[in-house]
Amino acid sequence: MIGGIKNTFGFQDCKEYNLGLWQCPTFLFIIMGLINMCAMVGVYILVSNNYNSPEVMVLSVSGVSVLIFVVGSSVITGIEQIAKANSAKSEFVSIASHQLKAPLSGMRWSTDLLLGGKIGEVNASRKNI
């Protein structure tokens, strides 16, 4: 059941990018939703005590909600881009490392074969080069 919830909300992406729970955009989006709901209730309570006009209340709650949503969305998008860049960097380093090691391994094996005498005798003067 928990695995299904993780897949439904996209927590697999966070695992793929090696992100902790507090760095996961999906989790942060859920937290921002909870903060937004608390802010709406708080603004409602503050405005209802000071103003009797429903228009002021609607505008206040809507304004705070939009502000929190925009800020939260920007933060989450930024973290998501950083995670993707980190994943691309790790993949590049892995590929570059492999591409650099492959020719060196071939040369090392050839040198071991020559110096070990497995493919014939090597002159003493050639061993010192």
Side-chain angles (χ1 to χ4, degrees):
M1 178 172 170
I2 293 176
I5 292 171
K6 285 182 178 181
N7 291 338
T8 302
F9 289 114
F11 288 111
Q12 283 299 99
D13 294 338
C14 298
K15 197 171 200 173
E16 179 181 322
Y17 296 137
N18 295 325
L19 295 174
L21 184 63
W22 285 99
Q23 297 170 327
C24 182
T26 305
F27 179 74
L28 291 175
F29 190 75
I30 292 170
I31 294 298
M32 287 304 299
L34 293 173
I35 290 171
N36 195 3
M37 287 189 284
C38 292
M40 287 189 317
V41 170
V43 169
Y44 173 77
I45 291 170
L46 287 174
V47 172
S48 67
N49 290 337
N50 297 325
Y51 299 100
N52 290 331
S53 173
E55 293 86 12
V56 171
M57 188 176 306
V58 169
L59 288 174
S60 300
V61 170
S62 299
V64 169
S65 297
V66 167
L67 179 68
I68 289 175
F69 180 75
V70 168
V71 169
S73 180
S74 298
V75 168
I76 291 168
T77 302
I79 289 174
E80 203 168 47
Q81 288 174 348
I82 290 170
K84 287 179 182 178
N86 188 29
S87 177
K89 177 202 60 120
S90 297
E91 186 177 342
F92 171 76
V93 168
S94 174
I95 290 171
S97 173
H98 174 45
Q99 293 298 327
L100 289 172
K101 286 180 184 177
L104 293 175
S105 296
M107 289 190 296
R108 182 175 162 219
W109 294 334
S110 299
T111 305
D112 287 345
L113 285 173
L114 286 171
L115 293 176
K118 296 182 178 163
I119 57 173
E121 190 63 34
V122 179
N123 296 342
S125 61
R126 298 268 178 183
K127 284 185 180 182
N128 293 332
I129 296 179

